[in-house]
């Protein structure tokens, strides 16, 4: 089922395989970004983190993902949230 993506704040998408390969754990990300239960969602092979309200924390997390060997765009992607509220975006994973 596609994940609803909120407007106004960024959402981070990570491929589930990359998340697991890097040894990431949900609890650490929840604490780091002060997430609610609804701000970390998993659907199939896609993990959606957000909307994220901590810009500095998100920037640091993106840098840490790269330092762990994950590749921006191939393994993870930040969607800015910069679109009007009247537009609804849904995300799902697609494996070629």
């Amino acid at each position: 089922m596609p994940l609803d993506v909120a407007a106004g704040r960024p959402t981070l998408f990570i491929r589930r395989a990359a998340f697991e390969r890097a040894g990431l754990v949900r609890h650490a990300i929840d604490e780091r970004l002060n997430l609610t239960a609804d701000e970390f969602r998993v659907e199939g092979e896609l993990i959606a983190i957000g909307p994220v309200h901590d810009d500095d924390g998100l920037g640091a997390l993106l840098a840490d993902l790269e330092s762990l060997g994950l590749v921006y765009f191939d393994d993870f992607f930040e969607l800015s949230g910069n679109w009007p509220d009247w537009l609804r975006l849904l995300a799902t994973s697609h494996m070629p």
Side-chain angles (χ1 to χ4, degrees):
M1 170 180 248
L3 299 169
D4 216 349
V5 184
R9 299 297 308 153
T11 298
L12 174 63
F13 294 95
I14 305 176
R15 287 183 164 180
R16 188 176 190 168
F19 185 91
E20 293 170 354
R21 183 176 70 245
L24 298 170
V25 291
R26 176 185 177 163
H27 177 73
I29 294 173
D30 284 350
E31 281 190 353
R32 184 174 188 171
L33 298 177
N34 196 30
L35 301 176
T36 67
D38 293 336
E39 292 171 338
F40 190 108
R41 298 166 291 155
V42 179
E43 179 61 39
E45 294 302 311
L46 184 65
I47 296 172
I49 300 170
V52 177
H53 301 277
D54 179 355
D55 293 331
D56 293 336
L58 179 59
L61 178 58
L62 295 175
D64 287 349
L65 293 176
E66 289 182 331
S67 74
L68 291 170
L70 299 184
V71 178
Y72 188 81
F73 204 77
D74 289 340
D75 296 317
F76 66 97
F77 179 77
E78 174 198 358
L79 197 57
S80 71
N82 189 20
W83 59 84
D85 289 336
W86 53 262
L87 180 64
R88 182 176 183 199
L89 294 181
L90 301 172
T92 188
S93 64
H94 171 71
M95 299 304 289

